[in-house]
Amino acid sequence: MATLTWYGHSTCGIETDDGTKLIIDPFFDDNPVCDVSADDVEADFILVTHGHGDHIGDLIPLARRTGALVISTHELVSWLATHDIDNTHGMSIGGGSSFPFGRLKMTPALHGTLNEGPGGEKFPTMPAGLLVTLNGGQRLYHAGDTALLTDMQLLRGRVDVALLPIGDNYTMGPDDAVRAVEFIEPEVVVPIHFDTWPPIAQDAQAFKASVGERARVEVLEPGGRLDF
Ligand code: NI
Ligand code: MN
């Protein structure tokens, strides 16, 4: 049994069967819906979809303190090296690699590419989604920030738990997220990237009703957990 913790927005923790701790898109201290401090989070691996501030807010301090291996795109880990964070593994869209927790493949995400680091420096990243297959066999898809993509049909039959943005405005909204569920046919859907700020306020229960029988929608509160 693995456990997913949704910290609000796109930030997730996964604890695997053997106690390995993964953090995806660390955004704790400036996350308005998260009351967990990045100082209180442990990580063996940090997975990052792209370089926007609402996905890497606490990445540098968390990577420094924990010494976790940071896995992200080549562009993002190259930027991290300029902050003297070198325990990294760079990948690119369509590529997969094996890690002690299982296998990670980077999937396409259609989203903005320009980011700003803590020193005001600009750097580009290629936004990605994450298809994680844990050693225990559980298959989790974190879509990152993305529009609806017909490419998501390629994930059909390969995902147990899908974390899909529903916030609209910066990512797909609830209607397109329902279409993503039709494309992917996951067992469980966890909506993410909504209700963090007013422009992405959504009614997650209405989304759940729209998905209907297509999948089991687990609407978590920030800090909420799901065993899978
Ligand atoms: Ni973004
Ligand atoms: Mn975002």
Side-chain angles (χ1 to χ4, degrees), residues 108-180:
L110 184 57
H111 186 61
T113 58
L114 189 63
N115 315 289
E116 189 171 319
E121 77 276 19
K122 300 282 202 298
F123 66 100
T125 54
M126 173 70 86
L130 306 171
L131 183 61
V132 181
T133 304
L134 299 176
N135 289 334
Q138 306 95 332
R139 303 168 305 175
L140 180 137
Y141 170 56
H142 186 297
D145 282 5
T146 186
L148 178 69
L149 291 171
T150 51
D151 295 41
M152 290 173 180
Q153 297 173 63
L154 300 172
L155 297 172
R156 179 175 300 143
R158 292 164 193 255
V159 176
D160 302 311
V161 178
L163 294 99
L164 302 178
I166 67 164
D168 219 348
N169 199 75
Y170 305 110
T171 67
M172 59 184 175
D175 292 348
D176 280 348
V178 172
R179 299 191 71 190

Side-chain angles (χ1 to χ4, degrees), residues 9 49-55 111-112 115 127 144-146 170-171 193:
H9 205 55
T49 62
H50 67 294
H52 284 153
D54 56 321
H55 299 257
H111 186 61
N115 315 289
D145 282 5
T146 186
Y170 305 110
T171 67
H193 213 276

Side-chain angles (χ1 to χ4, degrees), residues 45 69 71 89 91 96-105 135:
F45 299 90
L69 179 70
I71 308 169
H89 182 112
M91 301 176 62
S97 190
S98 294
F99 298 94
F101 59 82
R103 191 159 175 83
L104 169 65
K105 184 175 179 182
N135 289 334

